[in-house]
Amino acid sequence: MRVNSLILVYFIASCVQINAWCDEERNVTELIEARVNSAFTKIRIATKLEREAALECLFELGPEAEKSVLEYLSDKDKSVVIAAIRFLSYHRSREALTHIMGMTIHPNWEVRAMALLGLGMYTEDEVVDRITESLLLDKDFRVREAAVCALCSVDNPAVIEGFIKAISSTKGALRSTCLDGLKHVFKRQKFVMDIVRAFRKHEGEMPDFLRLDIVNHLGNIADRRTLEFFKEQLKSPSEEMRALSAKGLGKIGDTRAIHALFSSINDFSSLVREHAKKSLIRITNFYFWSNNEKAEAWLQMNEARIKDAAD
């Protein structure tokens, strides 16, 4: 009997504790909702400086406030919607991503622009696709500029193809902005081979200036992984492409490029021959500027050393 009584007491105590925890959780949820509502009320009526302060208060609430913030995406006040997007993109949850992507077709251009900038915080392929779509199709130039900034922010090599598509199909100021964005992506050393793959995939679609620009930037990066790519481009029908490739091989400075460059010192283009010889001098530290016979003799004498260095 005593044991049963103890069990009953323990059960009742447990129920009381569970109810207390539920009440506490409800209180926390209500508190968060109240603080979210208070922040958005300030954002709705405040000056720009006060809005930033209210937004800081929102950020401090953390991901727990996401559910309450989502409701404000449908608000009629653009300042409120923009603040909600900033909060949601800051915390980068999967649920928020779906909603932010939906805001890229909002009637207000500022909301669309902020949604795109918010997507720049994510890394998914679908994000790159949506940003690229806005870059190509949105009718407001300011939104398309925001799309360029967003693509620059996304840490995903798929942005390279996004920029190539945009540059190939746009003109004027927007094309220049996209080129600047692509140059920004070039600075990410880990994307080097992704750039090469994108070049090979879209080479036939790209305008000449873009192909040359990409090869020039790859040459400036001087990554040994691009060696075979540059050797391939030495066979390009474009004189400028062959010249840039010979120059790029010199910057890489790998002895495995010597044979390919020796072939190029007989190129019919004086520009290609000039860059090939400069690159050979840079790699071998041997000067054979105007005498091809001297160059051939040097190659025969050093064949074994070149092979050993390449291995």
Side-chain angles (χ1 to χ4, degrees):
M1 179 67 72
R2 186 178 178 186
V3 173
N4 291 338
S5 298
L6 288 173
I7 292 173
L8 181 61
V9 169
Y10 179 77
F11 175 75
I12 293 171
S14 299
C15 291
V16 170
Q17 183 64 50
I18 290 170
N19 286 333
W21 287 338
C22 292
D23 289 341
E24 183 179 347
E25 186 176 343
R26 278 195 294 270
N27 290 337
V28 170
T29 302
E30 289 172 1
L31 179 61
I32 289 173
E33 288 179 357
R35 292 181 66 181
V36 168
N37 293 337
S38 173
F40 277 112
T41 299
K42 291 178 182 177
I43 289 169
R44 197 187 309 279
I45 63 175
T47 63
K48 184 175 181 180
L49 187 62
E50 291 169 331
R51 284 175 187 163
E52 290 298 320
L55 193 58
E56 287 296 325
C57 293
L58 267 181
F59 286 162
E60 290 174 5
L61 293 177
E64 294 79 11
E66 181 181 302
K67 187 175 180 181
S68 299
V69 172
L70 281 170
E71 298 176 7
Y72 285 91
L73 287 176
S74 57
D75 199 277
K76 294 181 180 179
D77 189 321
K78 69 177 182 182
S79 299
V80 169
V81 178
I82 288 171
I85 292 171
R86 288 180 64 184
F87 172 90
L88 294 168
S89 60
Y90 179 80
H91 291 292
R92 292 180 293 193
S93 78
R94 180 68 196 180
E95 182 181 359
L97 172 59
T98 305
H99 292 278
I100 296 171
M101 288 179 69
M103 302 309 289
T104 59
I105 57 172
H106 192 277
N108 182 274
W109 76 266
E110 291 177 87
V111 172
R112 297 199 305 277
M114 181 53 66
L116 289 167
L117 293 174
L119 289 177
M121 303 290 285
Y122 290 84
T123 60
E124 288 82 351
D125 288 345
E126 62 189 297
V127 167
V128 177
D129 292 340
R130 179 57 63 89
I131 296 173
T132 303
E133 183 180 342
S134 294
L135 175 55
L136 293 172
L137 301 178
D138 200 284
K139 298 192 181 301
D140 194 299
F141 184 80
R142 295 164 294 187
V143 177
R144 298 172 88 176
E145 283 191 319
V148 173
C149 293
L151 277 182
C152 289
S153 300
V154 177
D155 190 21
N156 184 329
V159 300
I160 298 163
E161 290 195 40
F163 274 125
I164 288 174
K165 290 177 184 176
I167 294 167
S168 300
S169 59
T170 56
K171 295 180 180 180
L174 183 61
R175 174 179 274 183
S176 298
T177 304
C178 291
L179 275 169
D180 289 340
L182 186 58
K183 290 173 185 176
H184 178 81
V185 176
F186 282 151
K187 295 176 183 177
R188 301 179 193 173
Q189 195 77 11
K190 63 181 180 179
F191 286 173
V192 168
M193 294 312 295
D194 295 294
I195 295 170
V196 171
R197 281 188 285 272
F199 181 95
R200 286 170 171 158
K201 181 178 178 180
H202 297 282
E203 185 176 4
E205 310 160 20
M206 290 187 282
D208 290 341
F209 79 89
L210 180 55
R211 285 197 295 271
L212 294 172
D213 207 38
I214 291 175
V215 171
N216 184 48
H217 280 288
L218 284 172
N220 290 334
I221 294 170
D223 190 305
R224 288 179 183 272
R225 291 174 294 172
T226 61
L227 179 74
E228 293 303 320
F229 170 76
F230 282 119
K231 286 166 69 175
E232 290 170 12
Q233 296 307 313
L234 283 177
K235 301 174 184 177
S236 169
S238 164
E239 175 189 15
E240 293 89 347
M241 187 72 77
R242 296 197 306 277
L244 284 174
S245 299
K247 185 179 178 181
L249 286 171
K251 289 183 177 181
I252 293 172
D254 195 307
T255 55
R256 290 174 294 174
I258 288 177
H259 283 287
L261 288 168
F262 262 105
S263 299
S264 294
I265 62 175
N266 296 313
D267 195 282
F268 67 84
S269 165
S270 60
L271 181 64
V272 177
R273 293 197 300 270
E274 179 183 350
H275 281 298
K277 289 179 179 180
K278 283 182 177 179
S279 292
L280 280 169
I281 292 169
R282 187 169 185 170
I283 295 171
T284 64
N285 292 318
F286 185 81
Y287 189 84
F288 34 72
W289 183 251
S290 59
N291 190 328
N292 284 0
E293 290 182 6
K294 188 177 179 181
E296 291 292 341
W298 182 95
L299 181 60
Q300 290 177 13
M301 287 177 59
N302 291 273
E303 188 72 52
R305 187 167 64 86
I306 294 169
K307 186 178 180 182
D308 290 342
D311 292 341

